[in-house]
Amino acid sequence: MTNRTLLERMSKKKTSRIPCWFMRQAGRYLPEYQEVRSKHGMLDVIRTPELAAKVTVQPLKRFDLDAAIIFADILNPLIGMGIELDYIKGEGPKIFNPILKPEDVQKLVVPPVEENIGYTLEAISKVKGEISVPLIGFSGAPFTLSSYMLEEGSPATGKSVKEFALNHPDAWKSLQEKLCDMIAQYAIAQVKAGADVIQLFDSWVGCLSPAEFDALVKPYLKVILSGIKSVSNVPVLYFGTGHCGLFSAIRDIGFDALGVDWRVQMSDVASVVGDQVPLQGNLDPALLFAPLDILENEVNRILEDATAIPWHIFNLGHGILPKTPIAAVEKVIATVRAYEKN
Ligand code: CP3
């Protein structure tokens, strides 16, 4: 690995280069990705190590990025637990047997990790031989995975997940424990296979109040973090969206770095979590559809604001959107590189 800037910033070392990567950087805005997807379904790509590795490396061949993220999804590890799902064209993921009652939780199993997602572990070792930047492994966090398993429609409101958690506290606890077990094993296996960083995606956590977060989420995040840290000192980043009211509750869990979406200023987050926590973010993915001069100004504004954080990692505030113009991605990276030189 010749470019370690992401790892250096995560371990609070000075770097003149600002590490820059994009969530969902391997995705549908890339014609070479679409070419692969025109021949293979989403689950086929994830489950075929050669294809997953190929797609992981695609954005690095095009852009000057400081990290790769292994190609998989947060939901496919649920299949081995007993959840039936597929990715429907134009709609996204669909779960065919959502959890509707406490007994449905009892049926879920935690399968041996190799058996469940061995293909991703194989893809990780393949990618490692091809890249000179750190490789990010990831998992969904328990709340967001529960949201998908419990909601029949979109998990945006959190209504079904809260209804279940509050009416069936024992089943909720059991579901969280099974997910924690799966997630910790999955993260550790990815690290053993070669992942240099673990990012936990908690995309739906923003529907919770701080008190709900403390009761329903926080204890389980602590279990996962200590599980990972008991076997490896790999940096663990926690990402959420719409969760600017939760940062003081998140702060003392002890994650190595935190992801920030665009609804809040990075410097405001730093004033809550302190300037000792590396922060990743936070360009609005929709801004990549703006005129390039407006985009450039916004990237510069974020970089300026992030001088409050000695260990800023440049990223979007959420995943890159389909149809994002390639020229916009190039503009963002060029703007970050130009800022470093000033
Ligand atoms: O970032 C990367 O490049 C690595 C791969 C990755 C994917 N999904 C591939 C994917 C990662 C890290 C994810 C995480 C993920 N998946 C999250 C957390 C981050 C977020 O965006 O909130 C969530 C909530 C999911 C669940 C999911 N998977 C949804 C809601 C969708 C449909 C919406 C969409 O963006 O298409 C997916 C499908 C999915 N996962 C695609 C990709 C590239 C698109 C599949 C396709 O090719 O059609």
Side-chain angles (χ1 to χ4, degrees), residues 24-26 28 33 37 42 69 72-74 93 148 203 318:
R24 297 274 182 107
Q25 64 191 21
R28 284 162 300 177
Y33 172 83
R37 282 283 281 105
M42 175 70 180
I69 179 161
D73 192 48
I74 60 166
Y148 276 101
S203 311
H318 202 168

Side-chain angles (χ1 to χ4, degrees), residues 21-28 33 37 42 69-75 87 91-93 138 144 148 201 203-204 239 241 318-319 322:
W21 68 280
F22 295 75
M23 287 181 283
R24 297 274 182 107
Q25 64 191 21
R28 284 162 300 177
Y33 172 83
R37 282 283 281 105
M42 175 70 180
I69 179 161
I70 193 65
F71 190 81
D73 192 48
I74 60 166
L75 299 176
Y87 296 85
E91 276 181 50
F138 69 89
T144 290
Y148 276 101
F201 284 94
S203 311
W204 297 109
F239 167 81
T241 71
H318 202 168

Side-chain angles (χ1 to χ4, degrees), residues 134-150:
L135 177 61
I136 301 168
F138 69 89
S139 171
F143 181 78
T144 290
L145 293 180
S146 305
S147 305
Y148 276 101
M149 294 158 103
L150 286 158

Side-chain angles (χ1 to χ4, degrees), residues 69-130:
I69 179 161
I70 193 65
F71 190 81
D73 192 48
I74 60 166
L75 299 176
N76 63 281
L78 301 180
I79 297 173
M81 296 183 78
I83 293 290
E84 292 158 28
L85 68 93
D86 206 351
Y87 296 85
I88 314 290
K89 214 175 163 67
E91 276 181 50
K94 177 150 178 58
I95 288 183
F96 302 105
N97 57 343
I99 293 172
L100 301 175
K101 44 189 193 313
E103 299 81 76
D104 296 337
V105 174
Q106 282 169 19
K107 289 185 211 142
L108 296 174
V109 296
V110 179
V113 67
E114 289 278 346
E115 216 171 85
N116 191 15
I117 44 79
Y119 46 79
T120 298
L121 305 178
E122 217 178 296
I124 289 174
S125 8
K126 283 193 190 305
V127 169
K128 284 293 280 189
E130 290 181 44

Side-chain angles (χ1 to χ4, degrees), residues 49 65 79 90 106 234 279 291 313:
L65 296 164
I79 297 173
Q106 282 169 19
V234 65
L279 296 181
I313 298 154

